[in-house]
Amino acid sequence: MSQEYIVLVAGPMGAGKTTAIAALSEIPVVRTEARNTDLARHSKALTTVALDYGEITLSGHDKVRLYGVPGQERFDFMWKILERRALGLMLLLDNAAPDPIGDLDRYLKVFADLDQRGAMVIGVTRTDVNPQPDTETYNERLRESGRVLPVFALDAREPRQVRTLLGTLVALVEARATTVV
Ligand SMILES: Nc1nc2c(ncn2[C@@H]2O[C@H](COP(=O)(O)OP(=O)(O)O)[C@@H](O)[C@H]2O)c(=O)[nH]1
Ligand SMILES: [Mg+2]
């Protein structure tokens, strides 16, 4: 039977959410971007203020609806609406950000419900720009917070790497679906 999954792609501004969705999607990505009015936080001229949307069909039948959700705290309420419908979360973290481990902590708190109910994978981008912290540091932090989650270093511009991350997430969602009846 074919399945349909809603997957959220979350993470701070500049982590590669829009790029990752574009790398995965087989339809033209619906992008809602606007001029960045928060240049103090990030120098990007365009930033996501609403949603990015893309779709991918897995193994010929299962469809994944991908929603990129805003990275700025002032849009928090939008995360909550979609989170209720989602089964999986791809959390992207920018390794070149000032405090990526702090970002991890913050997003784990925000998405605690989805983490409990669904599945989560973590993709660390920009390791080419900033190799530290390494994935072991993320793993340690996750262990401290009582979680075991897959952590991948990846480049959001590389479709194959993003597909690997999504494939892992879908496998976790399916494992949950068969164990939690
Ligand atoms: N150097 C480098 N650039 C990346 C990587 N992943 C994404 N980018 C770039 O980072 C920029 C921000 O990505 P974007 O998708 O707009 O981030 P968003 O704010 O999370 O949607 C884009 O120019 C991407 O091409 C990576 O692993 N390394
Ligand atoms: Mg974006």
Side-chain angles (χ1 to χ4, degrees):
M1 206 179 73
S2 67
Q3 300 265 356
E4 217 178 86
Y5 302 106
I6 290 181
V7 163
L8 302 191
V9 182
M13 196 194 296
K17 301 179 293 294
T18 302
T19 308
I21 291 172
L24 287 171
S25 186
E26 59 206 14
I27 62 159
V29 175
V30 181
R31 292 170 207 235
T32 46
E33 298 207 285
R35 205 151 288 283
N36 181 14
T37 53
D38 203 352
L39 288 168
R41 283 180 67 99
H42 207 280
S43 58
K44 263 177 60 183
L46 290 176
T47 187
T48 308
V49 292
L51 292 172
D52 297 322
Y53 175 74
E55 290 178 4
I56 181 171
T57 310
L58 304 171
S59 49
H61 46 94
D62 292 349
K63 185 186 243 184
V64 179
R65 297 183 182 278
L66 298 156
Y67 290 92
V69 292
Q72 292 157 292
E73 280 91 313
R74 63 174 173 272
F75 296 112
D76 277 5
F77 72 98
M78 296 183 69
W79 295 350
K80 291 289 164 194
I81 298 168
L82 266 174
E83 189 186 348
R84 276 185 239 125
R85 298 182 53 211
L87 278 182
L89 175 69
M90 192 186 285
L91 176 58
L92 296 183
L93 297 169
D94 175 0
N95 221 41
D99 180 19
I101 299 292
D103 292 336
L104 171 67
D105 286 339
R106 204 156 47 82
Y107 278 83
L108 288 176
K109 279 202 192 84
V110 170
F111 287 105
D113 290 352
L114 182 50
D115 182 29
Q116 285 274 310
R117 190 170 49 75
M120 190 188 298
V121 289
I122 294 162
V124 181
T125 63
R126 290 178 186 277
T127 57
D128 53 323
V129 179
N130 217 24
Q132 296 296 330
D134 60 11
T135 48
E136 185 46 36
T137 309
Y138 287 91
N139 285 326
E140 263 166 36
R141 185 70 202 100
L142 286 164
R143 277 197 294 274
E144 282 165 17
S145 72
R147 291 176 176 90
V148 181
L149 296 174
V151 179
F152 290 79
L154 87 162
D155 188 324
R157 299 166 299 182
E158 293 293 333
R160 211 169 45 84
Q161 297 183 22
V162 189
R163 276 200 295 272
T164 301
L165 188 66
L166 179 67
T168 305
L169 179 60
V170 169
L172 286 174
V173 169
E174 284 174 347
R176 282 264 170 131
T178 49
T179 51
V180 184
V181 190

